[in-house]
Amino acid sequence: MSAGIRLAGERDAGAIASIYAPYCEASQVSFETLAPSAEEIARRIESVTERWPWLVLEDSETVAGYAYAGRHRERAAYGWAVDTAVYVSEAHRRRGVGRALYTALFAVLRQQGYFKACAGITMPNPASVALHEALGFKVIGVYRRIGFKLGAWHDVAWYQADVQPEAPNPPAPRPLNAVIDSPAWKEAIARGLAHYVEQR
Ligand SMILES: CC(C)(COP(=O)(O)OP(=O)(O)OC[C@H]1O[C@@H](n2cnc3c(N)ncnc32)[C@H](O)[C@@H]1OP(=O)(O)O)[C@@H](O)C(=O)NCCC(=O)NCCS
């Protein structure tokens, strides 16, 4: 069985759409209510990876999960912050996929020069809270009953983590293609994958 973490591409869109769909259609985890098509996911991957990492963990040619980063807020001073998300297929849970993906994602974000990561988690979601806390995120506030879905109002807890220690005059983050396939990129991927290989 061969496992790897790599940048997501168009060929992963169908698998990612399948992993994501139940959280749109049948749970409050995502605030999307219509599951995006594979074509729409492919469009999102292309758009995200113009600047930020979108990683998949593949085992035996099956996408086990994915994690990506994206813009936190538009205004310039937010430029060193990202929002992150992670989804793991039901069949691969509790085997270190989420930890592996986030570890690799953070290492890539460090190379690019990002400093803060934020994640909004619809409550309750004990697995996601535990994963984020295990990776160093801390809760910073809760939007109360901010979203209405499936007949109920839902809280969203916002979590934040330091990607790396603050720098006094941080340069603008580097584009993703400035770090892809560098020795540091390969090291980031290997560091993440080790969490999966150890646990599976
Ligand atoms: C949250 C999620 C990504 C976790 O992925 P995973 O691959 O199962 O997590 P890992 O095996 O890497 O677990 C890493 C750590 O997270 C915590 N954790 C993960 N799932 C947990 C659960 N069900 N209960 C308690 N803790 C959990 C543990 O601390 C775990 O470390 P341990 O296994 O050494 O105890 C996965 O459950 C998922 O995809 N859920 C549905 C989608 C979702 O909610 N995504 C997040 C949106 S905000």
Side-chain angles (χ1 to χ4, degrees):
M1 286 211 303
S2 61
I5 294 176
R6 58 174 173 74
L7 198 62
E10 193 179 351
R11 67 182 153 132
D12 304 307
I16 289 172
S18 300
I19 292 171
Y20 183 52
Y23 303 103
C24 301
E25 288 163 352
S27 95
Q28 80 287 0
V29 164
S30 169
F31 275 5
E32 289 198 76
T33 50
L34 293 175
S37 64
E39 292 71 28
E40 169 59 15
I41 294 287
R43 196 198 59 71
R44 292 183 191 184
I45 291 170
E46 190 180 0
S47 159
V48 164
T49 53
E50 277 169 17
R51 281 177 74 168
W52 298 282
W54 185 321
L55 303 178
V56 292
L57 190 153
E58 194 176 44
D59 193 349
S60 305
E61 293 173 26
T62 300
V63 173
Y66 63 93
Y68 61 92
R71 187 191 306 286
H72 176 61
R73 300 282 300 255
E74 186 81 38
R75 294 190 175 164
Y78 288 115
W80 293 267
V82 293
D83 283 359
T84 60
V86 56
Y87 286 82
V88 173
S89 89
E90 293 256 12
H92 292 86
R93 298 272 169 82
R94 283 319 280 274
R95 288 156 63 188
V97 177
R99 193 190 288 273
L101 283 164
Y102 253 15
T103 300
L105 191 82
F106 266 53
V108 171
L109 290 168
R110 263 194 297 281
Q111 285 170 48
Q112 289 186 266
Y114 288 101
F115 287 86
K116 315 284 174 181
C118 305
I121 306 178
T122 311
M123 295 287 109
N125 188 341
S128 181
V129 167
L131 172 66
H132 283 85
E133 288 183 344
L135 270 292
F137 283 82
K138 295 202 168 20
V139 69
I140 43 141
V142 180
Y143 286 169
R144 299 288 176 197
R145 303 172 74 78
I146 189 76
F148 183 83
K149 186 173 177 187
L150 299 172
W153 292 94
H154 301 284
D155 289 354
V156 173
W158 278 90
Y159 284 74
Q160 184 176 332
D162 287 334
V163 174
Q164 59 184 317
E166 286 173 11
N169 286 304
R174 300 159 76 197
L176 189 65
N177 62 17
V179 301
I180 288 174
D181 288 339
S182 65
W185 170 278
K186 288 176 185 151
E187 207 268 322
I189 297 297
R191 190 185 308 173
L193 192 61
H195 289 286
Y196 177 62
V197 171
E198 268 169 29
Q199 282 195 35
R200 72 176 174 177

